[in-house]
């Protein structure tokens, strides 16, 4: 079996030999200056590196070592760099940690302790790579982008799988930013129309006088500026799925035209005379109460019933148990990669703030918040200050004793798993139970 590659950056020949001997469980690749270290990094792509900060041409200072650390983390952000430091250079070691070094080991070297630190670094790197592979698998799945352990959200996902093969119109209800378009795309990918187009339009984003031509298209000369025939979004979606977002903002005249299309499955372009048959599956979404709008006369009741053959309600993030921390870890990993940042982690106070905040903007607000935190974080840790969230207090519902016990057990277990990013060992330690006990609890509550 091939050994893991370990890069050792050390200009002292005696220490090089000592490190080779004490770390013989790995394929040790050595370098004695910044240029050779970067060459070895590019050639061997090691998961872990140890390095002395005092490198030529400045062996008594730390400038060359810190510059190399910056280069390594810029070229390979996932590399775990362990800084070897003497007592007199402790402030340099702390600066290296702030820049993104994984750990530091104090000289003179203790072979057993260093071997443990290196082994832990390789283990963490392997876990992060496995997590990245899992994220890739998720991105290839029909419900890509929907990350949840909440029973309510998982129920929505199961409903999507059952509803998708049918041709029924689907109404998606939920707060802004809760993931309605992701669910709509999942419906399309799981349907028999998946090889055709998915076309989306936001009724709230287009002025009323332009929305009709956007939906139905127009003929040449239909109005001033119509210099050529243009197909509408419905016609472009022929054979596929048409997603009508924020349908509650649709004007009454357009509601009548949309109702006729749903009844007859034909359209007329603006300025046209011929009817055009369209085969399309309608999925619509809104954050408004359409039933109340129809009762007040602002939304046609007959259109409401046509659109809501099947209704799926997407729970807001504040009601999704454990999903706040789970999504926070997901977005942190995503933006660390896209912003070329070395691996960051949340402080306990930051996680507590994330779990306590009600997230009125839901997943979209959290995504923006975590991206800002990843960009603004000074060191390897994301703090509440980086998040910029206001204080909030959680309110627990009142339940029967048995329901309260089961709900509390499930909630604490899911929050613990989310807080440690799915690590079973750490979750068991956090909960104060053994791993077999945690596995039993997960099986009891249907968690995988």
């Amino acid at each position: 079996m091939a050994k893991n590659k370990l890069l050792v950056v050390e200009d002292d020949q005696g220490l090089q030999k000592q490190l080779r001997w004490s770390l013989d469980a790995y394929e040790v690749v050595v370098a004695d200056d910044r240029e050779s270290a970067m060459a070895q990094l590019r050639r061997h792509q090691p998961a872990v590196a140890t390095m002395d900060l005092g490198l030529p041409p400045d062996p008594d200072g730390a400038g060359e070592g810190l510059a190399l650390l910056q280069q390594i983390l810029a070229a390979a952000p996932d590399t775990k760099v362990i800084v070897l430091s003497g007592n007199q250079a402790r402030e340099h070691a702390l600066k290296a940690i702030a820049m993104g070094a994984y750990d530091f080991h104090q000289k003179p070297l203790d072979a057993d302790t260093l071997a443990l630190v290196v082994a832990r670094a390789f283990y963490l790197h392997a876990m992060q790579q496995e997590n990245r592979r899992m994220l890739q698998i998720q991105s290839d799945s029909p419900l890509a982008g929907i990350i949840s352990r909440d029973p309510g959200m998982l129920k929505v996902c199961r409903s999507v799988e059952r509803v998708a093969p049918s041709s029924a119109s689907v109404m998606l209800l939920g707060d802004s930013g809760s993931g309605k378009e992701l669910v709509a795309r999942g419906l399309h990918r799981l349907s028999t129309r998946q090889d055709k187009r998915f076309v989306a339009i936001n009724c709230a984003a287009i002025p009323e006088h332009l929305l009709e031509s956007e939906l139905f298209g127009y003929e040449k000369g239909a109005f001033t500026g119509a210099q050529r025939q243009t197909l509408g979004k419905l016609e472009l979606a022929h054979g596929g799925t048409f997603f009508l977002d924020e349908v509650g903002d649709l004007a009454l005249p357009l509601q009548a035209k949309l109702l006729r299309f749903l009844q007859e499955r034909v359209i007329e372009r603006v300025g046209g005379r011929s009817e055009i048959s369209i085969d399309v599956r309608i999925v619509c979404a809104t954050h408004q109460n359409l039933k109340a709008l129809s009762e007040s006369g602002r939304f046609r009741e007959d259109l409401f019933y046509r659109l809501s053959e099947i209704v799926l309600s997407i729970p807001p993030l504040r009601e999704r148990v454990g999903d706040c921390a789970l999504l926070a870890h997901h977005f942190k990993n995503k933006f660390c990669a896209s912003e070329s940042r070395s691996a960051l982690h949340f402080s306990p106070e930051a996680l507590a703030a994330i779990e306590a905040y009600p997230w009125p903007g839901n997943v979209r607000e959290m995504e923006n918040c975590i991206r800002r935190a990843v960009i603004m974080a000074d060191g390897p840790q994301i703090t509440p200050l980086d998040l910029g969230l206001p204080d909030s207090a959680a309110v627990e519902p009142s339940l029967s004793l048995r329901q309260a016990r089961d709900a509390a057990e499930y909630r604490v277990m899911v929050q613990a798993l989310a807080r440690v990013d799915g690590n079973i060992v750490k979750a068991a330690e956090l909960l104060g139970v053994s791993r077999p006990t945690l596995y039993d609890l997960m099986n009891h509550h249907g968690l995988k």
Side-chain angles (χ1 to χ4, degrees):
M1 182 177 177
K3 294 181 179 180
N4 289 324
K5 292 182 178 180
L6 170 68
L7 173 62
V8 170
V9 186
E10 176 59 65
D11 62 328
D12 186 307
Q13 297 297 318
L15 273 178
Q16 275 191 16
K17 291 179 181 179
Q18 183 182 348
L19 289 167
R20 278 184 182 275
W21 175 80
S22 62
L23 298 170
D24 62 348
Y26 310 101
E27 182 183 337
V28 177
V29 180
V30 297
D32 54 12
D33 59 20
R34 179 150 54 121
E35 185 179 352
S36 62
M38 289 306 297
Q40 296 285 46
L41 181 80
R42 285 188 288 267
R43 179 182 176 187
H44 297 283
Q45 299 180 341
V48 180
T50 69
M51 62 174 289
D52 187 8
L53 292 179
L55 296 173
D58 183 24
D60 297 324
E64 193 72 7
L66 292 174
L68 173 59
L69 174 62
Q70 189 174 22
Q71 279 186 274
I72 289 175
L73 294 179
D78 291 338
T79 305
K80 308 301 174 196
V81 181
I82 301 166
V83 172
L84 306 182
S85 167
N87 286 330
Q88 72 280 9
R90 184 175 177 81
E91 68 276 11
H92 298 316
L94 295 176
K95 185 175 181 180
I97 293 295
M99 289 173 62
Y102 168 71
D103 205 344
F104 78 94
H105 185 71
Q106 193 165 295
K107 294 180 179 178
L109 302 179
D110 180 283
D112 292 338
T113 304
L114 180 58
L116 187 62
V117 172
V118 171
R120 180 67 182 170
F122 273 108
Y123 176 75
L124 179 60
H125 183 273
M127 290 293 289
Q128 288 176 339
Q129 296 303 307
E130 179 64 22
N131 182 58
R132 184 170 285 111
R133 284 191 291 271
M134 289 176 65
L135 291 175
Q136 181 60 44
I137 292 170
Q138 289 173 354
S139 69
D140 292 337
S141 69
L143 293 177
I146 299 178
I147 298 170
S148 178
R149 290 197 185 107
D150 174 66
M153 196 64 193
L154 295 177
K155 183 179 179 181
V156 171
C157 293
R158 289 192 293 270
S159 297
V160 168
E161 292 169 351
R162 289 195 297 269
V163 169
S166 73
S167 59
S169 298
V170 179
M171 172 80 73
L172 302 176
L173 304 179
D175 292 354
S176 294
S178 58
K180 297 189 291 294
E181 184 165 348
L182 285 176
V183 173
R185 290 183 181 277
L187 279 165
H188 175 70
R189 280 190 287 263
L190 286 167
S191 72
T192 55
R193 301 171 180 266
Q194 60 181 318
D195 57 338
K196 302 296 183 180
R197 296 187 66 174
F198 175 91
V199 178
I201 193 169
N202 190 321
C203 300
I206 301 173
E208 181 182 335
H209 64 282
L210 296 178
L211 189 54
E212 181 179 8
S213 57
E214 281 290 316
L215 285 171
F216 302 102
Y218 54 86
E219 298 289 354
K220 181 179 178 181
F223 49 82
T224 303
Q227 298 179 357
R228 58 185 177 83
Q229 183 189 77
T230 301
L231 305 186
K233 299 287 189 183
L234 278 166
E235 202 168 344
L236 289 172
H238 179 68
T241 302
F242 184 66
F243 177 52
L244 202 60
D245 199 6
E246 298 301 349
V247 70
D249 290 309
L250 204 60
L252 284 170
L254 283 180
Q255 291 179 29
K257 290 200 70 171
L258 182 61
L259 177 64
R260 180 176 182 274
F261 164 72
L262 291 171
Q263 290 172 335
E264 308 296 334
R265 296 290 167 168
V266 296
I267 64 165
E268 289 182 12
R269 300 191 191 108
V270 176
R273 294 290 181 268
S274 59
E275 293 184 340
I276 303 166
S277 296
I278 301 292
D279 171 31
V280 71
R281 199 240 186 104
I282 298 291
V283 179
C284 61
T286 182
H287 71 282
Q288 302 183 67
N289 186 334
L290 289 189
K291 185 68 174 175
L293 289 180
S294 65
E295 290 172 355
S296 64
R298 291 157 57 198
F299 198 88
R300 293 182 63 108
E301 190 174 18
D302 45 4
L303 178 60
F304 170 73
Y305 289 118
R306 278 282 182 178
L307 292 173
S308 57
E309 291 178 336
I310 294 176
V311 178
L312 299 178
S313 295
I314 302 173
L317 184 55
R318 62 183 175 274
E319 296 176 6
R320 289 160 56 173
V321 178
D323 279 5
C324 290
L326 183 70
L327 285 164
H329 281 296
H330 166 75
F331 288 131
K332 177 203 66 177
N333 295 336
K334 171 184 173 182
F335 291 125
C336 279
S338 66
E339 300 293 337
S340 298
R341 288 292 306 261
S342 56
L344 297 172
H345 64 273
F346 292 106
S347 70
E349 296 79 13
L351 280 174
I354 287 169
E355 291 172 334
Y357 185 61
W359 299 106
N362 291 287
V363 181
R364 187 181 295 121
E365 181 186 6
M366 173 174 280
E367 184 174 13
N368 293 336
C369 174
I370 302 301
R371 182 174 189 179
R372 180 177 64 249
V374 167
I375 293 171
M376 298 300 294
D378 285 330
Q381 184 169 263
I382 294 175
T383 66
L385 190 62
D386 299 320
L387 295 170
L389 296 177
D391 295 332
S392 61
V395 179
E396 291 292 331
S398 175
L399 301 170
S400 71
L401 184 59
R402 177 172 293 181
Q403 287 176 323
R405 184 176 64 245
D406 285 346
E409 188 175 77
Y410 182 90
R411 179 182 294 274
V412 171
M413 182 171 54
V414 168
Q415 285 180 339
L417 286 165
R419 182 168 290 193
V420 298
D421 205 12
N423 187 304
I424 298 294
V425 175
K426 288 185 178 179
E429 290 176 358
L430 194 62
L431 293 167
V433 299
S434 66
R435 277 186 296 168
T437 299
L438 180 54
Y439 278 120
D440 288 342
L441 288 171
M442 290 172 67
N443 288 330
H444 172 70
H445 289 282
L447 277 174
K448 296 183 179 179

